[in-house]
Amino acid sequence: MAHDPEQADDGTKKGPWLLELRSSNGFILATWWNSFIFAVFGAAILIGSPICGWIADRTPNRSVSFYTGLLILLAATVLFGVAKASWVLLISRLCQGLSAAITYTVGLALLVVTVGRDNIGQWMGTALSSSSFGLIVSPLLGGIVYAKAGYMAVFGMAMGLIIFDILMRLVMIEKKTAAKHRPTEALTTDNNFYGTFTTQDEARDEQSDNARAPNEPRNQAESTQLLSNGHYEPARTKGRMPTILVLLGIPRLLAAIYGIFVNVSILAAFDGVLPLYVKSLFGWNSLNAGLIFLCLAVPALTGPLVGKLSDKTGPRWIAVAGCALTAPPLILLRLVAHDSVEQKFLLCAMLICCGFTLILVVSPVAADLSAVVEEKEKADPDAFGPGGAYAQAFSLFNCAMAAATLFGPVVAGALVERYGWGTMTAAMGIFAFSGAIPSFFYTGGWIYAKET
């Protein structure tokens, strides 16, 4: 009989839900408090992402927003490391959520305007698979460092990575900023994303706009009222819907958001229930439970290859295959029900299969999200305004991931507790397959568009 992880040596329930918080008084927090601080983190992302996206689309230099996000993250990490009171912990988690909202939203928008549509899938795959790999591997590394060097060493490692990231941002130059200083290259680029020049005529227009006096209007329609300070007030487009609402009204974009929601929900569900399950079933310690996540992390490194394939063949069928093929190994995980070597191999094999199928979803839907914005702007140049909508589109993408990190563990944990491991894996398999339906109809464009 497997050892009950909730059973203490004296036969009483020890309560694994207790979280020991570093404190001068050594007090402990119950599971609701642990859940609450995770909810604060998710809420900060959900609320902050649309706001950060709106600001980024109206900021001439997005790298400033990036610096701000990283500095907030550095401060939050320090607070988290030295926290000896619950309110300090809450503030640190709130700041971490806000930082995630900024860096994900602005970072993905910067990626889009830099690499161009022809290679967006490959580079989205690189960025998001690296993120997934980090999310999966970081608890393992943190556990090893904690065991070998202690509590503060974990936060020292994190702060070192953040400082390195800030230094890397110092040498980053936005493409549109570089184009102003290298007009010859700007004239030859074929990138047709916001922040770059699409044609030679547009490049010349941009250069002439820069040369125009600051208070001189571009054309009569653009400025109809002369203010008392001698500057012209640009005419505003009347009746334009907020960009977020415009984006949410595009089924193709909603399909991309749902695809990433399904993907991250499944990964987050594993993060919430898998360590406890293998600990209770196999008697594994924390290190062994962490190592099992390598079965999901290693396949994530194939993201750039999937993105490159998506760039060549289109995103639809890759995303559909990713969602549909994730269902069988998830359902087959119900067969892992007792302690044996064969069962451990089966668990690893099914997790590896899930890793390879889940990564098929990420790059195509992320690349398609940027394509949605581009095509909407071509069809209706006034839909989003002069700042474009890439940052706001990826803010919705970020919101979906944040919601998934809350949804996945909560639902999976509830299913395991009430109905058992087998029911949970079956439900996750059906949920994974559901992502294939909107992808089939909308990813890459409405499937029947050519027939109508």
Side-chain angles (χ1 to χ4, degrees), residues 257-410:
I257 290 176
Y258 184 68
I260 198 63
F261 177 77
V262 169
N263 180 280
V264 176
S265 292
I266 293 171
L267 288 173
F270 279 131
D271 189 50
V273 302
L274 186 59
L276 293 176
Y277 187 68
V278 297
K279 186 176 181 180
S280 64
L281 185 65
F282 302 141
W284 285 357
N285 58 27
S286 298
L287 178 60
N288 291 333
L291 287 173
I292 195 66
F293 282 95
L294 290 177
C295 296
L296 292 168
V298 173
L301 297 177
T302 61
L305 297 177
V306 175
K308 190 172 183 178
L309 181 63
S310 176
D311 289 332
K312 292 183 177 180
T313 64
R316 185 191 313 277
W317 299 113
I318 299 177
V320 169
C323 292
L325 294 177
T326 300
L330 278 175
I331 295 173
L332 289 174
L333 279 171
R334 68 186 288 111
L335 300 177
V336 180
H338 60 272
D339 187 4
S340 70
V341 175
E342 292 79 8
Q343 292 278 284
K344 294 173 183 176
F345 274 111
L346 177 62
L347 174 64
C348 293
M350 292 301 101
L351 289 178
I352 291 172
C353 290
C354 288
F356 278 113
T357 55
L358 284 170
I359 199 62
L360 294 176
V361 181
V362 178
S363 302
V365 298
D368 200 50
L369 191 71
S370 61
V372 171
V373 177
E374 181 195 6
E375 292 180 11
K376 181 66 175 179
E377 286 184 328
K378 286 182 177 179
D380 183 5
D382 294 327
F384 303 130
Y390 288 111
Q392 290 176 84
F394 282 106
S395 74
L396 295 175
F397 193 78
N398 200 24
C399 286
M401 291 193 291
T405 60
L406 297 175
F407 174 84
V410 170

Side-chain angles (χ1 to χ4, degrees), residues 26-77:
F27 64 92
I28 56 177
L29 298 175
T31 186
W32 69 267
W33 184 254
N34 189 29
S35 300
F36 181 64
I37 62 175
F38 276 103
V40 167
F41 175 77
I45 299 177
L46 286 171
I47 297 172
S49 292
I51 298 173
C52 295
W54 186 88
I55 294 173
D57 280 333
R58 283 156 179 78
T59 302
N61 190 346
R62 286 179 174 145
S63 59
V64 174
S65 300
F66 215 140
Y67 290 134
T68 303
L70 291 173
L71 290 174
I72 293 174
L73 179 59
L74 182 62
T77 303

Side-chain angles (χ1 to χ4, degrees), residues 40 131 185 196 199 291 304 321 358 367 433:
V40 167
S131 176
E185 292 188 9
T196 60
T199 65
L291 287 173
L358 284 170
F433 188 82

Side-chain angles (χ1 to χ4, degrees), residues 10-304:
D10 59 0
T12 60
K13 291 285 185 178
K14 64 179 182 180
W17 39 264
L18 292 179
L19 169 67
E20 184 174 352
L21 179 67
R22 180 175 179 267
S23 170
S24 57
N25 298 322
F27 64 92
I28 56 177
L29 298 175
T31 186
W32 69 267
W33 184 254
N34 189 29
S35 300
F36 181 64
I37 62 175
F38 276 103
V40 167
F41 175 77
I45 299 177
L46 286 171
I47 297 172
S49 292
I51 298 173
C52 295
W54 186 88
I55 294 173
D57 280 333
R58 283 156 179 78
T59 302
N61 190 346
R62 286 179 174 145
S63 59
V64 174
S65 300
F66 215 140
Y67 290 134
T68 303
L70 291 173
L71 290 174
I72 293 174
L73 179 59
L74 182 62
T77 303
V78 173
L79 281 177
F80 199 94
V82 301
K84 293 184 178 180
S86 57
W87 65 269
V88 179
L89 189 64
L90 278 179
I91 292 176
S92 68
R93 291 298 284 170
L94 184 67
C95 291
Q96 285 175 342
L98 179 60
S99 171
I102 297 172
T103 53
Y104 264 88
T105 298
V106 177
L108 292 176
L110 281 171
L111 183 66
V112 169
V113 302
T114 301
V115 302
R117 183 170 185 175
D118 291 341
N119 300 309
I120 187 62
Q122 178 180 357
W123 287 104
M124 276 291 174
T126 302
L128 294 174
S129 64
S130 298
S131 176
S132 298
F133 183 82
L135 286 172
I136 296 170
V137 171
S138 56
L140 173 62
L141 293 177
I144 294 173
V145 172
Y146 176 78
K148 299 295 183 182
Y151 181 85
M152 288 307 298
V154 178
F155 293 93
M157 177 177 64
M159 287 186 284
L161 287 173
I162 297 169
I163 293 172
F164 177 74
D165 200 350
I166 293 173
L167 294 176
M168 292 293 289
R169 288 328 113 213
L170 293 175
V171 298
M172 180 184 74
I173 302 175
E174 288 193 56
K175 194 167 185 177
K176 62 181 180 180
T177 302
K180 294 178 180 179
H181 301 284
R182 305 176 72 174
T184 302
E185 292 188 9
L187 290 172
T188 60
T189 184
D190 60 354
N191 190 335
N192 49 0
F193 281 93
Y194 165 72
T196 60
F197 302 122
T198 59
T199 65
Q200 293 184 6
D201 290 339
E202 290 176 0
R204 295 189 186 97
D205 290 343
E206 181 72 20
Q207 290 174 349
S208 65
D209 290 341
N210 294 336
R212 187 180 287 113
N215 63 343
E216 183 180 347
R218 183 192 295 239
N219 52 53
Q220 185 64 29
E222 188 178 73
S223 180
T224 58
Q225 181 180 2
L226 185 65
L227 302 179
S228 58
N229 61 4
H231 288 73
Y232 287 88
E233 180 183 38
R236 296 174 180 173
T237 303
K238 296 183 179 180
R240 179 191 297 157
M241 290 180 62
T243 297
I244 289 291
L245 296 182
V246 174
L247 293 171
L248 289 175
I250 304 174
R252 183 176 171 185
L253 182 137
L254 294 178
I257 290 176
Y258 184 68
I260 198 63
F261 177 77
V262 169
N263 180 280
V264 176
S265 292
I266 293 171
L267 288 173
F270 279 131
D271 189 50
V273 302
L274 186 59
L276 293 176
Y277 187 68
V278 297
K279 186 176 181 180
S280 64
L281 185 65
F282 302 141
W284 285 357
N285 58 27
S286 298
L287 178 60
N288 291 333
L291 287 173
I292 195 66
F293 282 95
L294 290 177
C295 296
L296 292 168
V298 173
L301 297 177
T302 61

